[in-house]
Amino acid sequence: MTEIYQTSDAEGTINFINMFDLEHMAQEVIPKGGFGYISSGAGDVFTYRENERAFEHQLIIPHVLKDVELPSTEKLFEGEKLRSPIIMAPVAAHGLANTKGEEASAKGVAEYGTIYTISSYASRTMEQIRQAAGPSANQWFQFYMSKDDGINLTILEQAKANGAKAIVLTADATVGGNRETDRRNGFTFPLAMPIVESYQTGVGQTMNAVYGSSKQKLSPKDVEFIVEHSSLPVYVKGVQSEEDVERALSAGANGIWVSNHGGRQLDGGPAAFDSLQYVSKAVDGRVPIVFDSGVRRGQHVFKALASGADLVAIGRPAIYGLALGGSVGIRQVFEFFQTELEMVMQLAGVQTIEEIQGIKLRENRYI
Amino acid sequence: MTEIYQTSDAEGTINFINMFDLEHMAQEVIPKGGFGYISSGAGDVFTYRENERAFEHQLIIPHVLKDVELPSTEKLFEGEKLRSPIIMAPVAAHGLANTKGEEASAKGVAEYGTIYTISSYASRTMEQIRQAAGPSANQWFQFYMSKDDGINLTILEQAKANGAKAIVLTADATVGGNRETDRRNGFTFPLAMPIVESYQTGVGQTMNAVYGSSKQKLSPKDVEFIVEHSSLPVYVKGVQSEEDVERALSAGANGIWVSNHGGRQLDGGPAAFDSLQYVSKAVDGRVPIVFDSGVRRGQHVFKALASGADLVAIGRPAIYGLALGGSVGIRQVFEFFQTELEMVMQLAGVQTIEEIQGIKLRENRYI
Amino acid sequence: MTEIYQTSDAEGTINFINMFDLEHMAQEVIPKGGFGYISSGAGDVFTYRENERAFEHQLIIPHVLKDVELPSTEKLFEGEKLRSPIIMAPVAAHGLANTKGEEASAKGVAEYGTIYTISSYASRTMEQIRQAAGPSANQWFQFYMSKDDGINLTILEQAKANGAKAIVLTADATVGGNRETDRRNGFTFPLAMPIVESYQTGVGQTMNAVYGSSKQKLSPKDVEFIVEHSSLPVYVKGVQSEEDVERALSAGANGIWVSNHGGRQLDGGPAAFDSLQYVSKAVDGRVPIVFDSGVRRGQHVFKALASGADLVAIGRPAIYGLALGGSVGIRQVFEFFQTELEMVMQLAGVQTIEEIQGIKLRENRYI
Amino acid sequence: MTEIYQTSDAEGTINFINMFDLEHMAQEVIPKGGFGYISSGAGDVFTYRENERAFEHQLIIPHVLKDVELPSTEKLFEGEKLRSPIIMAPVAAHGLANTKGEEASAKGVAEYGTIYTISSYASRTMEQIRQAAGPSANQWFQFYMSKDDGINLTILEQAKANGAKAIVLTADATVGGNRETDRRNGFTFPLAMPIVESYQTGVGQTMNAVYGSSKQKLSPKDVEFIVEHSSLPVYVKGVQSEEDVERALSAGANGIWVSNHGGRQLDGGPAAFDSLQYVSKAVDGRVPIVFDSGVRRGQHVFKALASGADLVAIGRPAIYGLALGGSVGIRQVFEFFQTELEMVMQLAGVQTIEEIQGIKLRENRYI
């Protein structure tokens, strides 16, 4: 038996200083099981913690006398103008954080003016998410494949019909990570997953069961399949090594998404930001790189861009904004990152996002 | 005068999330002196702590699109199929943890389906341990030599008669380590040691007295002696350097067991996992390598295998399982490691144990 | 509405052991908002903390039998004799710490016998500061430029008229850093800034508004402008890289001031002391180097001098001395650093400041 | 006015597990000012703490099958047999710890069977110390020189007359270190210093005054002076660099004593054990090396010997033993170190002290 899951329905302006405040505040309004699911990492949280600490491995040198004023975070990406290179990562089940779910988050992100990645495990249909965000919203679709390719074709068709501009194949979650917090909380999914309802039984499942229902045996052929049938750019998400870059690109991927799933999957692996250094060298400008995992500050966005990322995605912070302020709250979170990024740009002496990508960080020799 | 030692007699399923839980739970059911003896490390516990921390020195890179599904932990070792490369380390006196002692632990490990190493300091006879586990159980015998070679011959004969498939010569405990917890607890051995009763006076001794009764002056000749008289494969346990590999192999050892005795012997030495890197290079595939010390997670098993180990032994965690659930509890512990290992294999993109041994870990530059 | 700001008006001898004591004592006498503004660092205070920790990256080797006795801290700088190479950094609004403001601090520093740098954001006029210190005081002027060059000329004229011997162009604060403590305290400036009143509206502003009123778009042309119109030596403050050294020197700067603004500006950047190693190599003796950020001990002064600094500036500690003891208190702080420096010199076996600059520190390999 | 200083007068066996216990127990029986003086380090105690932590920088590899049994700690040094290479460091004013002062400590050390170094600042005369220890005791004399060479000659004559076998010139304490604990405690010396009473006024002085009364301006000439006038081997104490080795040896020193005065003098310098690596390379076997600072375990003694030391001196631990058990207590402390050293030798596979000096430690790459 599943108890009724009662979460926040907030909508409006939040007062906060930083993302650490926001996390603590969100814990007050999201039920324990949902908050545990959203906030926690895998195993001993070594990799989870390293994700954030790793930004200390590379240092931004402040530069002076660089003739900079009111730097701009605007980013031209694949022919479209984004307000900043900060985009929305795919996150399952926004309904855990706010009853308005993805309708509020998609609206807030569209109002901010950046890319929104729809999760396969969203609490709303793609149509609802598209409608809430408006026809001009820049939306991508993150894909957890079914074991049944007929279902996969149907889902890809839906994504195209709803105007998705790219498909993100999450490849690092073919089983659930060791989410001990969920097991301690006895957490099962309280909400339906309408996008994948044809292969997920939905409400009342553990995370292991959820991941077990989707396809484990991912291979380069799956990339080829999506490329062929979607005619959309395909990003492979969860890449952390040179070897995986080559495997993904050989299969036709149009972009690489560096991530360790926010430290929620394999504990004992590297920080995503450390892996970015390896991956960006291997990609060497051939395709765009998206980065996520551990981003909590404008300086983190700056460091990821200076390390080869073209776009930087945020997950948990955006969900906390959604929990505390609905569409307004999530927009504030993006504005928070933009404001900090602008400050960092001014102090680092760069006027544009493109310039950041030419910056050389100083390796921290004392960690 | 020795007080009566009253420990757990539990048998049945345990609820636990991880090995840290298990340790805390075991502390509740094992008497203070026994728990201190089992759980503690030597001196300032520097080496003890390093054992576990050292796994952070090498990182597993998650790999995607590797066409992996339901990876298998099966291991073919010396012609026998093991359910996994995770085996039972020799641990003295299981009776400290559970009144059923080695009869329960040998049964549980046999039911799980892996190698069980009988300790010279077991609380049961070899016959009892063999009988509890059944005739097909895969058992090795760990040897603390007597100063008297006649006694040694008798013990080796018993081991052969009871079907031991290998002899493990523990060479790193020619004196007891600096076990301050035992001294603070005033701990003396409350139980008999029937296997070595011909040279150990048994009940009421301190650890120093126990070690003092066995042979200190181990040399390559002892390896030769055991090889000659047992006609069984001989593993030298406690090897941490290239030099010791050569000394052991020159004397005819058939396997190398990398260990620092769980941080219980020499404090101020390296983590066993760090030493494994040196040893596996020196062994270079000539003989099998067994590894123990500090293993608490499936990722640790994976990292040891990827660093050259053929088998990975666990000690304290198995004993905690024994304390809390008898034969069922110890089997659950092996299943815990297997389940975590399977998850790590899926996320690291390897289908078989053999593939792990070809994996390259990424050295952590930031420790 | 701004509440009345009531701070210390102390004048007299302070009892203290070290600068950490002094900070705690100062917190008792300075209002919360003012103390937060003075003491805090930016963002996650990573860089703030690194500033002090970085001194552990280089070690002083004690030297024996060096024939040293009563070493002298006297420093001949640009033809003038200073009691020591320890000088007063520019710090805004001394009136936050003591009602007597810069009149007391300038008097105390003059009595001690070293350089005093007047902040553009001082709570007193340049005339008042000069008068309090006396005609022979060695004063420099730190410049936050206006967006209006007419105003800039007027301010430079005032500085010259008041006998400033150098102009320090602070180039690392073209926007305010992320001062979260100020935001948590709702801190706005309670005091007027008479030196820059022609472009700053003054009382009741946030730090962001203060920095916003001054010139953001600093470039080498501004250095040229000041050099041309002041005919005084110009120091560029906030330099942390080889690249900035060249930019400043090419524009005609006569000195380089290594600083990260006490960790108050860009968080996620290097410790200033670590940057000093890079900068002093790049400067290579062409111009003098001033160093600040994180100096709390005589050994820090020694290490900075041995790393290429010619002068070492202190900020917060001096202000705490001012808060607790007025002109006497701030002088005591300089004497504290001198006393510790003398002890370090004796133990390191150097008789003069010049000798320190030839010393080689030992890099700490174990951090 | 000086209050009466009432300290321990204990004599007899102490129960303890390790030196950390002993320190805590000693704190109970020594007055606060005296205990602060004995136990504390300089400044931020960075160097003090590093002294002990530095032993983790080099690791002992346990070695097996080395044919070792009952290893011997005996050391033949300059023609005399010592029970072990562990000797007594010079420590001022044993009377602070035990009313019996150096009479008890010299007796205990002689009974143990190793070298005892008499401090210039002893609470007893050389005659008393000699008499308490007996005619065959192996005693060295540590020299704080007077500014007056006549006095120096007299003291050297006394040392010779009392059978000192070497002179130790402490060269790293030409001023007092920054002993903040003493200043917080308002500590002044409560006891007379009979050996140097001709140049020290004694009771009621601060440490700064004590050091100020002795000679600051030490130079190679002072080594030459002592060599010439004592005709005894001269050790220069406080050496931490190659440069100082050469300066001392050129002046005729017969031995090098690596020490940073237990972290009591210059804070911000290296751990003594780290410096030992540099010094032993520079000495290259030309003269004996004595090591102290931070030794709290048998493994520390082993590591120092393996890093080039010929003798290892202990200070604070011995004084705590003296406080708690008089001559018996201090002997127990030496026995504690010997017992631990024997265990380490057995586990590291070395039979003699000479073999330790040929051992290669493994550098810890993960600190």
Side-chain angles (χ1 to χ4, degrees):
Chain A
M1 277 196 5
T2 311
E3 287 181 32
I4 293 170
Y5 183 88
Q6 290 192 298
T7 193
S8 164
D9 62 353
E11 177 68 38
T13 305
I14 320 162
N15 278 317
F16 62 92
I17 298 283
N18 60 35
M19 292 301 103
F20 309 106
D21 285 17
L22 207 69
E23 181 166 5
H24 289 300
M25 292 158 67
Q27 190 165 12
E28 301 296 313
V29 301
I30 305 175
K32 187 179 182 187
F35 183 78
Y37 168 74
I38 295 165
S39 62
S40 67
D44 300 323
V45 294
F46 166 77
T47 297
Y48 171 89
R49 286 183 282 108
E50 287 296 296
N51 273 346
E52 203 178 316
R53 260 200 308 228
F55 291 108
E56 298 180 0
H57 299 166
Q58 301 284 338
L59 303 169
I60 304 170
I61 309 303
H63 282 297
V64 302
L65 307 176
K66 291 281 285 183
D67 211 19
V68 167
E69 187 173 32
L70 301 176
S72 162
T73 63
E74 270 191 12
K75 170 76 183 174
L76 197 69
F77 186 77
E78 303 286 330
E80 302 217 27
K81 193 147 65 177
L82 308 177
R83 190 158 154 208
S84 78
I86 307 159
I87 72 168
M88 180 67 199
V91 176
H94 294 193
L96 293 172
N98 193 309
T99 57
K100 298 182 194 67
E102 287 79 3
E103 284 172 296
S105 59
K107 180 169 180 283
V109 172
E111 283 170 1
Y112 171 74
T114 193
I115 293 166
Y116 180 93
T117 312
I118 299 169
S119 167
S120 279
Y121 294 166
S123 315
R124 293 292 188 282
T125 64
M126 289 197 228
E127 291 74 13
Q128 288 170 317
I129 298 171
R130 163 59 58 192
Q131 199 161 27
S136 64
N138 194 338
Q139 294 186 337
W140 292 5
F141 175 66
Q142 175 272 332
F143 199 9
Y144 279 126
M145 294 182 83
S146 166
K147 292 167 180 166
D148 177 335
D149 272 347
I151 292 176
N152 289 328
L153 285 177
T154 307
I155 295 174
L156 285 175
E157 281 310 310
Q158 283 182 311
K160 285 176 68 174
N162 280 283
K165 291 188 177 161
I167 304 297
V168 178
L169 175 64
T170 297
D172 65 356
T174 56
V175 291
N178 179 20
R179 316 275 179 90
E180 299 193 344
T181 304
D182 289 348
R183 286 154 64 200
R184 289 195 198 281
N185 289 341
F187 180 68
T188 56
F189 249 81
L191 305 171
M193 295 178 170
I195 296 174
V196 294
E197 65 186 355
S198 50
Y199 75 85
Q200 290 282 10
T201 50
V203 179
Q205 295 185 92
T206 64
M207 279 314 297
N208 273 356
V210 167
Y211 282 112
S213 309
S214 66
K215 185 173 190 177
Q216 268 77 62
K217 207 171 156 62
L218 291 182
S219 79
K221 285 181 192 155
D222 295 293
V223 178
E224 291 166 13
F225 176 89
I226 302 171
V227 166
E228 185 188 340
H229 294 289
S230 74
S231 310
L232 287 169
V234 175
Y235 285 75
V236 175
K237 180 164 176 281
V239 172
Q240 292 199 71
S241 66
E242 301 89 334
E243 181 195 330
D244 283 14
V245 166
E246 296 315 321
R247 195 177 307 109
L249 295 190
S250 300
N254 309 93
I256 294 294
W257 192 310
V258 177
S259 170
N260 58 23
H261 220 105
R264 300 161 76 79
Q265 289 292 102
L266 180 62
D267 195 40
F273 179 67
D274 288 338
S275 289
L276 175 59
Q277 319 295 323
Y278 292 81
V279 170
S280 63
K281 215 173 197 177
V283 167
D284 198 23
R286 289 180 285 171
V287 296
I289 296 174
V290 187
F291 171 80
D292 76 32
S293 295
V295 176
R296 297 294 178 272
R297 287 286 190 192
Q299 55 135 314
H300 300 166
V301 175
F302 186 99
K303 286 177 177 177
L305 295 171
S307 299
D310 294 282
L311 300 174
V312 177
I314 56 174
R316 292 183 187 94
I319 298 303
Y320 299 144
L322 174 66
L324 292 158
S327 71
V328 172
I330 195 168
R331 198 183 70 213
Q332 281 183 279
V333 169
F334 281 83
E335 283 162 352
F336 164 85
F337 280 101
Q338 178 178 333
T339 300
E340 286 209 352
L341 179 58
E342 286 165 353
M343 183 201 69
V344 174
M345 291 173 74
Q346 176 74 40
L347 296 175
V350 292
Q351 188 70 40
T352 66
I353 295 298
E354 283 64 37
E355 283 178 66
I356 299 176
Q357 296 181 299
I359 279 276
K360 205 173 149 33
L361 301 173
R362 186 186 293 168
E363 187 155 13
N364 190 348
R365 302 169 52 203
Y366 300 105
I367 289 281
Chain B
M1 275 195 8
T2 309
E3 287 180 33
I4 294 170
Y5 183 87
Q6 292 192 297
T7 192
S8 165
D9 62 354
E11 178 68 37
T13 306
I14 320 163
N15 277 317
F16 62 91
I17 298 284
N18 60 36
M19 292 301 103
F20 309 106
D21 285 18
L22 207 68
E23 181 166 6
H24 289 300
M25 292 158 67
Q27 190 166 13
E28 302 296 312
V29 300
I30 305 175
K32 188 179 181 187
F35 182 79
Y37 168 73
I38 296 165
S39 62
S40 67
D44 300 323
V45 294
F46 166 77
T47 298
Y48 172 87
R49 286 184 281 108
E50 287 295 296
N51 273 348
E52 202 178 316
R53 260 201 307 228
F55 291 107
E56 298 180 359
H57 298 165
Q58 302 284 338
L59 304 169
I60 305 170
I61 309 303
H63 282 298
V64 302
L65 307 176
K66 292 280 284 183
D67 211 18
V68 168
E69 189 173 30
L70 301 176
S72 162
T73 63
E74 270 190 13
K75 170 77 184 174
L76 197 71
F77 186 76
E78 305 284 332
E80 302 217 26
K81 193 147 65 176
L82 308 177
R83 187 156 155 210
S84 78
I86 307 159
I87 72 168
M88 181 67 199
V91 177
H94 295 194
L96 293 172
N98 194 310
T99 56
K100 299 183 193 65
E102 286 79 4
E103 285 172 295
S105 57
K107 179 168 181 282
V109 171
E111 284 171 359
Y112 171 74
T114 192
I115 294 166
Y116 180 92
T117 313
I118 298 169
S119 168
S120 279
Y121 293 166
S123 316
R124 293 291 188 283
T125 63
M126 289 195 229
E127 291 74 12
Q128 289 170 315
I129 298 172
R130 161 60 58 192
Q131 197 161 27
S136 64
N138 194 337
Q139 294 187 336
W140 293 4
F141 175 66
Q142 176 272 332
F143 199 9
Y144 279 126
M145 295 181 83
S146 165
K147 291 167 182 169
D148 176 334
D149 272 347
I151 292 177
N152 289 329
L153 284 177
T154 307
I155 294 174
L156 284 176
E157 281 311 309
Q158 284 181 310
K160 284 176 69 174
N162 281 284
K165 293 190 176 159
I167 304 296
V168 178
L169 175 64
T170 297
D172 65 355
T174 55
V175 290
N178 179 19
R179 317 273 180 93
E180 299 192 344
T181 303
D182 288 348
R183 286 154 64 200
R184 289 196 198 282
N185 289 340
F187 180 70
T188 55
F189 248 80
L191 305 172
M193 295 177 171
I195 297 175
V196 294
E197 65 187 356
S198 50
Y199 75 85
Q200 289 282 8
T201 50
V203 178
Q205 293 186 95
T206 63
M207 279 314 297
N208 273 356
V210 167
Y211 283 111
S213 308
S214 65
K215 184 172 191 177
Q216 269 76 61
K217 207 171 156 63
L218 292 182
S219 80
K221 285 180 193 156
D222 295 293
V223 178
E224 291 165 13
F225 176 91
I226 302 171
V227 166
E228 185 188 340
H229 294 287
S230 73
S231 309
L232 288 169
V234 175
Y235 286 74
V236 176
K237 180 163 177 280
V239 171
Q240 293 199 70
S241 66
E242 301 88 333
E243 182 196 329
D244 283 14
V245 166
E246 297 314 320
R247 195 177 307 107
L249 296 190
S250 300
N254 309 93
I256 293 294
W257 191 310
V258 177
S259 170
N260 58 22
H261 220 106
R264 299 161 76 79
Q265 288 294 101
L266 180 62
D267 195 38
F273 180 66
D274 289 338
S275 288
L276 175 58
Q277 319 296 322
Y278 293 81
V279 170
S280 63
K281 216 174 197 173
V283 168
D284 198 22
R286 288 181 284 171
V287 296
I289 296 173
V290 187
F291 171 79
D292 75 32
S293 295
V295 177
R296 296 294 179 271
R297 287 285 190 191
Q299 56 136 313
H300 300 166
V301 175
F302 186 100
K303 286 176 177 177
L305 295 172
S307 300
D310 294 282
L311 299 174
V312 176
I314 57 173
R316 293 183 186 94
I319 298 303
Y320 299 143
L322 174 67
L324 292 157
S327 70
V328 172
I330 195 168
R331 197 183 70 213
Q332 280 184 281
V333 168
F334 280 85
E335 284 162 352
F336 164 86
F337 280 102
Q338 178 178 332
T339 301
E340 285 208 352
L341 179 57
E342 286 166 352
M343 183 200 70
V344 174
M345 290 173 75
Q346 176 74 40
L347 296 175
V350 291
Q351 188 72 40
T352 66
I353 295 297
E354 284 63 38
E355 283 178 67
I356 299 175
Q357 296 180 300
I359 279 277
K360 205 175 150 32
L361 302 173
R362 186 187 292 168
E363 187 155 14
N364 190 347
R365 302 168 53 203
Y366 300 106
I367 288 282
Chain C
M1 276 200 2
T2 310
E3 288 180 32
I4 292 170
Y5 182 88
Q6 291 193 296
T7 193
S8 165
D9 63 353
E11 178 67 38
T13 305
I14 319 164
N15 277 317
F16 61 92
I17 299 284
N18 60 35
M19 292 301 103
F20 309 106
D21 284 19
L22 207 68
E23 180 166 6
H24 290 300
M25 293 159 67
Q27 189 166 13
E28 303 296 313
V29 301
I30 305 175
K32 187 178 183 188
F35 182 78
Y37 167 74
I38 295 165
S39 63
S40 68
D44 300 323
V45 294
F46 166 77
T47 297
Y48 171 88
R49 286 184 281 107
E50 287 295 297
N51 272 347
E52 203 178 316
R53 258 199 311 225
F55 291 107
E56 299 180 359
H57 299 166
Q58 302 284 338
L59 303 169
I60 304 171
I61 308 304
H63 282 298
V64 302
L65 307 176
K66 292 280 285 182
D67 211 18
V68 168
E69 186 172 33
L70 300 176
S72 161
T73 63
E74 269 190 12
K75 169 79 182 172
L76 197 69
F77 187 76
E78 304 285 332
E80 302 217 26
K81 193 148 65 175
L82 308 177
R83 188 156 154 210
S84 78
I86 307 159
I87 72 169
M88 179 68 198
V91 177
H94 295 192
L96 293 172
N98 193 310
T99 56
K100 300 182 194 66
E102 287 79 4
E103 285 173 295
S105 58
K107 178 168 180 286
V109 173
E111 284 171 0
Y112 171 74
T114 192
I115 294 166
Y116 180 92
T117 312
I118 299 169
S119 168
S120 278
Y121 294 166
S123 315
R124 292 293 188 281
T125 64
M126 289 195 229
E127 290 75 10
Q128 289 170 316
I129 298 171
R130 163 59 58 192
Q131 198 160 27
S136 65
N138 193 338
Q139 295 187 335
W140 292 6
F141 175 66
Q142 175 273 331
F143 199 9
Y144 279 126
M145 295 182 83
S146 166
K147 291 166 181 167
D148 177 335
D149 272 347
I151 292 176
N152 289 328
L153 284 178
T154 307
I155 295 173
L156 286 176
E157 280 311 310
Q158 284 181 312
K160 285 176 67 173
N162 281 285
K165 291 188 177 162
I167 304 295
V168 179
L169 176 64
T170 297
D172 65 354
T174 55
V175 291
N178 179 20
R179 316 275 179 92
E180 298 193 344
T181 304
D182 289 349
R183 287 154 64 201
R184 289 195 199 280
N185 288 341
F187 180 68
T188 56
F189 248 81
L191 304 171
M193 293 178 171
I195 295 173
V196 293
E197 66 187 354
S198 52
Y199 76 84
Q200 289 281 11
T201 49
V203 178
Q205 295 185 93
T206 64
M207 279 314 296
N208 273 356
V210 167
Y211 282 111
S213 308
S214 66
K215 187 173 188 176
Q216 269 76 63
K217 208 172 156 61
L218 291 182
S219 80
K221 285 180 191 157
D222 294 293
V223 178
E224 292 166 14
F225 176 90
I226 302 170
V227 166
E228 185 188 340
H229 293 289
S230 74
S231 310
L232 287 168
V234 175
Y235 286 74
V236 176
K237 180 164 176 280
V239 171
Q240 293 199 70
S241 66
E242 301 90 332
E243 181 195 330
D244 284 14
V245 166
E246 296 315 320
R247 195 177 308 108
L249 296 189
S250 300
N254 309 93
I256 294 293
W257 192 310
V258 177
S259 170
N260 59 22
H261 219 106
R264 301 160 76 78
Q265 288 293 101
L266 181 62
D267 194 41
F273 179 67
D274 288 338
S275 289
L276 176 59
Q277 318 297 321
Y278 293 82
V279 169
S280 63
K281 215 174 200 176
V283 167
D284 198 22
R286 288 180 286 172
V287 296
I289 296 175
V290 187
F291 171 80
D292 76 32
S293 295
V295 177
R296 297 294 178 272
R297 287 285 190 193
Q299 54 136 313
H300 301 165
V301 175
F302 186 99
K303 287 177 177 177
L305 295 171
S307 300
D310 295 282
L311 300 174
V312 177
I314 56 172
R316 292 183 186 95
I319 297 303
Y320 300 144
L322 174 66
L324 292 158
S327 71
V328 171
I330 194 168
R331 197 184 70 212
Q332 281 183 279
V333 169
F334 281 85
E335 283 162 352
F336 164 86
F337 280 101
Q338 178 179 331
T339 300
E340 285 209 351
L341 179 58
E342 286 165 353
M343 182 201 68
V344 174
M345 290 172 74
Q346 176 74 40
L347 296 175
V350 293
Q351 187 71 40
T352 66
I353 295 298
E354 283 63 39
E355 284 178 67
I356 299 176
Q357 296 181 300
I359 279 277
K360 206 172 147 34
L361 302 173
R362 186 186 293 168
E363 186 154 14
N364 190 347
R365 302 168 54 203
Y366 300 106
I367 288 281
Chain D
M1 275 198 6
T2 309
E3 288 180 32
I4 294 169
Y5 182 87
Q6 292 193 296
T7 194
S8 165
D9 62 354
E11 178 67 39
T13 306
I14 319 163
N15 277 317
F16 61 92
I17 299 285
N18 60 35
M19 292 300 104
F20 309 106
D21 285 17
L22 206 68
E23 180 166 6
H24 289 302
M25 292 158 68
Q27 190 166 13
E28 301 297 313
V29 301
I30 304 175
K32 187 178 181 187
F35 182 78
Y37 168 74
I38 295 164
S39 62
S40 68
D44 300 323
V45 293
F46 166 77
T47 296
Y48 171 88
R49 285 184 281 109
E50 287 295 296
N51 272 348
E52 202 179 316
R53 259 199 310 226
F55 291 107
E56 299 180 359
H57 298 166
Q58 302 284 339
L59 303 169
I60 305 170
I61 308 304
H63 282 298
V64 301
L65 307 177
K66 293 279 284 181
D67 211 19
V68 167
E69 187 173 31
L70 300 176
S72 161
T73 63
E74 270 190 12
K75 169 79 184 171
L76 197 70
F77 187 77
E78 305 284 333
E80 302 217 26
K81 193 147 65 174
L82 307 178
R83 186 154 157 213
S84 77
I86 307 159
I87 72 168
M88 180 67 199
V91 176
H94 295 192
L96 293 172
N98 194 310
T99 56
K100 301 182 192 66
E102 286 78 5
E103 284 171 297
S105 57
K107 178 167 181 282
V109 172
E111 283 170 359
Y112 170 74
T114 192
I115 294 166
Y116 180 92
T117 313
I118 299 170
S119 168
S120 279
Y121 295 166
S123 315
R124 292 292 188 283
T125 63
M126 290 195 228
E127 291 74 11
Q128 289 170 315
I129 298 171
R130 163 60 57 191
Q131 197 161 28
S136 65
N138 194 338
Q139 294 187 336
W140 292 6
F141 175 65
Q142 175 272 332
F143 199 8
Y144 280 125
M145 295 182 83
S146 165
K147 291 166 182 168
D148 177 334
D149 273 346
I151 293 177
N152 289 329
L153 285 178
T154 307
I155 295 173
L156 285 176
E157 282 309 311
Q158 285 181 308
K160 286 176 67 174
N162 281 283
K165 294 191 177 159
I167 305 296
V168 179
L169 175 64
T170 297
D172 65 354
T174 55
V175 291
N178 179 20
R179 317 273 179 93
E180 298 193 344
T181 303
D182 288 348
R183 287 154 65 200
R184 288 194 199 283
N185 288 342
F187 179 69
T188 57
F189 249 81
L191 304 172
M193 294 177 172
I195 296 174
V196 294
E197 67 187 354
S198 52
Y199 73 86
Q200 290 281 10
T201 49
V203 178
Q205 293 186 95
T206 64
M207 280 313 297
N208 274 356
V210 167
Y211 282 111
S213 309
S214 66
K215 185 173 190 176
Q216 269 75 62
K217 209 173 157 61
L218 292 182
S219 80
K221 285 180 192 157
D222 295 294
V223 178
E224 292 166 12
F225 176 90
I226 302 171
V227 168
E228 185 188 338
H229 294 287
S230 73
S231 310
L232 288 169
V234 176
Y235 286 74
V236 176
K237 180 163 176 281
V239 172
Q240 293 198 69
S241 65
E242 301 90 331
E243 183 195 330
D244 283 15
V245 167
E246 296 314 321
R247 195 176 308 107
L249 296 190
S250 300
N254 309 93
I256 294 293
W257 192 310
V258 177
S259 169
N260 59 23
H261 219 106
R264 300 162 74 79
Q265 287 293 100
L266 181 62
D267 194 40
F273 179 67
D274 289 338
S275 288
L276 175 58
Q277 319 297 322
Y278 293 82
V279 170
S280 63
K281 216 175 199 174
V283 168
D284 198 22
R286 289 179 285 171
V287 295
I289 296 174
V290 187
F291 171 79
D292 75 32
S293 295
V295 177
R296 297 294 178 270
R297 288 285 190 192
Q299 55 136 312
H300 301 165
V301 175
F302 186 99
K303 287 176 177 178
L305 295 172
S307 300
D310 295 282
L311 299 174
V312 177
I314 56 172
R316 294 183 186 93
I319 297 303
Y320 300 144
L322 174 66
L324 291 157
S327 71
V328 171
I330 194 167
R331 197 185 68 212
Q332 281 183 279
V333 169
F334 281 84
E335 283 161 353
F336 164 87
F337 280 102
Q338 177 179 332
T339 300
E340 286 209 350
L341 179 58
E342 286 165 353
M343 182 200 68
V344 173
M345 290 172 74
Q346 176 74 40
L347 297 175
V350 292
Q351 187 72 41
T352 66
I353 295 297
E354 283 62 40
E355 284 178 67
I356 299 176
Q357 296 181 300
I359 278 276
K360 205 173 149 33
L361 302 173
R362 187 186 292 167
E363 186 155 15
N364 190 346
R365 302 169 54 203
Y366 300 105
I367 288 281

